[in-house]
Amino acid sequence: SILGLYKVFTDCDCTMVEINPLAELTDGRVIVCDAKVGFDDNAEFRQKKIHDMRDTTQEDPFEMEAKKYDLNYIKLDGSVACMVNGAGLAMATMDLLDLCGAKPANFLDVGGAANKDTVTAAFKLIQNDKDVKSILINIFGGIMRCDVIAEGVVSAVKEIGLTKPLVVRLVGTNVELGKKIIEDSGLPVHAIGDFHEAAKKAVELAK
């Protein structure tokens, strides 16, 4: 049985195979009462039959939309939306929002390979969330350049408008160019360089 589990795990490109609970019958037999299996999205090309059975009606529509653009997005139950690059900075941003008195509305890591279209899609995603009261964009430009983020945000706002207060913190690669793009756009943006102050402003605007 254990070898069978291992074979399923490897042959089907699983990320998890969990059997819980097991039950022992009066005659000594052990049966599986329930199981949970997860599959690697990156292996969809060779596990088409399995992935074709996916029931997207049971999944969060925001997360499904994010997946189309390879965005690392998880919907949460707070009121301040976050757009950040890097999982570590995203976690720190959410923790700081919590310390400042508000809960994050999402985890959103645009990653280092994002482009203008990806950032535009990310901004649309968080602005269209009815639970969001304010938006905090917190970018440390390393691989991801600040000007790319700025261009994506400006592009998204021009397309769908700005309906929620927006705080932007840009630091790092091409930061001056990024700030200039936002400044020249004329958008009513709260541009704040200090991490703590940016988080406090986003929380204030969400109340």
Side-chain angles (χ1 to χ4, degrees):
S1 295
I2 298 301
L3 287 175
L5 280 175
Y6 178 77
K7 183 173 174 57
V8 168
F9 186 86
T10 54
D11 290 357
C12 298
D13 291 296
C14 297
T15 55
M16 175 185 66
V17 179
E18 175 186 321
I19 294 176
N20 185 24
L22 289 169
E24 184 179 359
L25 304 183
T26 55
D27 60 6
R29 286 180 299 149
V30 176
I31 63 170
V32 175
C33 297
D34 196 9
K36 186 174 182 180
V37 183
F39 301 96
D40 188 349
D41 290 339
N42 295 312
E44 183 175 354
F45 69 97
R46 64 173 171 243
Q47 302 292 348
K48 195 170 188 312
K49 286 184 179 179
I50 292 174
H51 285 268
D52 282 349
M53 291 188 283
R54 186 172 189 165
D55 184 2
T56 56
T57 64
Q58 300 301 307
E59 300 184 47
D60 185 278
F62 284 96
E63 293 180 17
M64 290 297 297
E65 183 66 19
K67 190 177 290 291
K68 294 178 185 176
Y69 297 93
D70 291 325
L71 294 167
N72 297 311
Y73 175 90
I74 300 172
K75 175 120 171 60
L76 301 174
D77 57 2
S79 59
V80 181
C82 312
M83 184 196 298
V84 188
N85 66 316
L89 185 58
M91 296 298 289
T93 301
M94 293 191 295
D95 285 345
L96 188 53
L97 288 172
D98 196 14
L99 288 171
C100 290
K103 298 291 185 183
N106 62 273
F107 171 96
L108 175 54
D109 171 15
V110 296
N115 54 35
K116 178 182 172 182
D117 292 338
T118 308
V119 174
T120 299
F123 187 82
K124 288 180 182 178
L125 196 68
I126 56 180
Q127 180 162 262
N128 288 336
D129 184 345
K130 62 180 177 57
D131 297 325
V132 168
K133 305 302 180 188
S134 70
I135 299 170
L136 172 60
I137 297 177
N138 185 19
I139 300 297
F140 181 81
I143 298 173
M144 169 50 63
R145 305 191 328 259
C146 293
D147 58 306
V148 173
I149 294 290
E151 287 176 351
V153 170
V154 171
S155 174
V157 171
K158 285 181 177 177
E159 186 174 335
I160 64 172
L162 183 62
T163 59
K164 295 168 184 178
L166 175 61
V167 179
V168 178
R169 174 183 179 255
L170 299 176
V171 179
T173 306
N174 287 1
V175 61
E176 295 305 326
L177 179 56
K179 288 179 177 178
K180 187 174 188 308
I181 290 169
I182 290 177
E183 185 179 334
D184 291 348
S185 71
L187 299 178
V189 173
H190 300 271
I192 301 174
D194 182 79
F195 187 8
H196 194 189
E197 291 302 317
K200 284 202 301 185
K201 188 65 176 179
V203 170
E204 176 190 319
L205 293 168
K207 293 180 177 179

